Amino acid sequence: MTVGFTDDEIRRLPPAPVLDAHLDYLRREALIGGYEAQEEAQARLDAVYAAAAHLIGGSGPDEIALFENATRAFDMALYGVTLEPGDVILTSMAEYHSMFVTYLHRARRGVRVEVVPSDATGQLDVSALRKRVDEHVRLIAMAHMPTNGGLVQPAEAVGEVAREAGVFFLLDATQTIGQIPLDVRRLGCHALAGTSRKYLRGPRGVGVLWVAREWIERLEPPLMEGHAAEWVEPDRYVIRPDAKRFEVWESNVGARLGFGAAIAYAQALGLPRIWARVQMLAATLRARLAEVPGVGVHDLGAMRGGIVSFTVRDVDAARVKAALRAARINVTVSPARGTLLDMRARGLREVVRASVHYYNTDEEIDRLVAEVARLAR
Ligand SMILES: Cc1ncc(COP(=O)(O)O)c(C=O)c1O
């Protein structure tokens, strides 16, 4: 893809400006000290919050909180919703294990978790959701794209149901931030969690939470500390009014600056262009793999993104991964436990996950398909 960056730069993971922002900060820390470097970088750090809000169509930096990963970002909103015995959490068939266990954890004291079935395409059945929502439903929580395939859930339609019913909708956008243009107002979610480390190509160890301004003070932060709240009297604290009330003060400042650079990089390329190319490459890879005898392609949904999931008959996913690694092709294995409901329902023990990005080439797809075909013989 010709996008105004050099070929070498665009293919680095993370790209050079992201690495520079991260490493330059670490060098300043070594040179002048941790607190001093942070003070010096404060304006750039503040700008990361504004950039994150802008990336997803939020209203401003006060709606953003940063964490060490997407899981904690998600949790802080999930555990912030007040639930009473009899309340119901609705979710999808395609949830990631870290999220689903938090639903189960919250369900210990008389709260119920109910899974909305999928429709014939494999996405969440929106009409079933609409029928199920009643006054007991307090939370709809859902992965936008699961960990084990390219399914894009109908988040906008879910958001419409949630908004009409006045139910808090928490979207896990870990796999879609940086891949799909996201606009929280159009999606209709009230909170959204994402990560730096996946499609945004940012540093590991940074997660982001957006909470709609009107919901920030309606959520009860599940944990407290001295940056989330000010200790004003020996027996009293005052919680800050913005989304930083969910944060912890100490953080990996350099990685956060890298995250900001990753957002700028993605926005310079343009999210609509990124999404179009990712979809095109993934569709090509799916079609090519499906032609190989003995290979099963498993992605669900009416709309599909960059994660391509497949199996090779009589070859363990770990062997596929190792063979591809030897050919310098990186894929991962998604075991059943990662998305237990979906994998059990489809009788899948594991899938190989190839996540394509815009910098991948047709030649790389050819190589991947050729290697898989060799294994399938
Ligand atoms: C759908 C989904 N949600 C959440 C996560 C958790 O992200 P993290 O490990 O960065 O917290 C993942 C990780 O793969 C994921 O695939």
Side-chain angles (χ1 to χ4, degrees), residues 69-71 96 99 143 145-147 172 174-175 195 197-198:
N69 52 49
T71 302
Y96 188 58
M99 279 60 197
M145 180 179 287
T147 205
D172 168 13
T174 305
Q175 294 288 1
T195 184
R197 73 182 173 96
K198 289 181 181 280

Side-chain angles (χ1 to χ4, degrees), residues 258-280:
F259 171 55
I263 293 171
Y265 196 85
Q267 288 188 315
L269 294 172
L271 265 300
R273 281 176 83 197
I274 290 173
W275 177 221
R277 177 151 173 94
V278 166
Q279 277 182 296
M280 189 270 288

